[in-house]
Amino acid sequence: QVQLVESGGGLVQAGGSLRLSCTASGRAFSSYAMGWFRQAPGKEREFVAAIRWSGGRTYYADSVKGRFSISRDNAKNTVYLQMISLKPEDTAVYYCAADTYFSNWGTRPPQDLEVWGQGTLVTVSS
């Protein structure tokens, strides 16, 4: 099984951009679908984006479409989340996740996913 470590979070002004990274250790990274969730204070964890093991398919929450882009580099065991045009409502802890299956990331309960990182905080100031 893989272990996941996120990085790249921080404080940014509204309208700014950040790129999050999630690096996996362990074998078989390239066989996992990868994705990002986020959890704002007092709210439930919500789906943000997912990418198939090959990188050929991606899926986004409506709230981030056109602003966020997920990609992966299997040679580096890393998945990225490029975020632009950030809004204060994007403020949250962002979690990287991995699962054998790509389907239904947007509707499956987060606890169904196999592997989680520890999270990285993104704060967007107005």
Side-chain angles (χ1 to χ4, degrees), residues 22-35:
C22 172
T23 300
S25 59
R27 298 190 296 178
F29 168 81
S30 62
S31 67
Y32 283 88
M34 301 294 297

Side-chain angles (χ1 to χ4, degrees), residues 26-123:
R27 298 190 296 178
F29 168 81
S30 62
S31 67
Y32 283 88
M34 301 294 297
W36 293 89
F37 282 70
R38 65 186 181 186
Q39 188 166 17
K43 295 189 176 181
E44 294 185 349
R45 194 169 297 192
E46 66 174 3
F47 169 74
V48 175
I51 187 166
R52 200 174 180 185
W53 67 271
S54 65
R57 288 183 61 190
T58 57
Y59 179 55
Y60 297 92
D62 288 344
S63 59
V64 305
K65 280 181 182 177
R67 300 188 300 120
F68 290 13
S69 177
I70 188 170
S71 61
R72 67 189 295 164
D73 185 340
N74 287 343
K76 296 182 178 179
N77 280 11
T78 300
V79 63
Y80 304 97
L81 186 68
Q82 178 68 51
M83 306 183 293
I84 66 172
S85 302
L86 283 161
K87 306 174 181 179
E89 52 263 43
D90 294 318
T91 295
V93 177
Y94 283 71
Y95 296 91
C96 178
D99 195 82
T100 303
Y101 301 103
F102 173 70
S103 59
N104 301 323
W105 272 59
T107 56
R108 292 166 62 189
Q111 58 267 29
D112 276 2
L113 299 177
E114 296 173 31
V115 187
W116 289 91
Q118 84 290 348
T120 185
L121 177 63
V122 172
T123 303

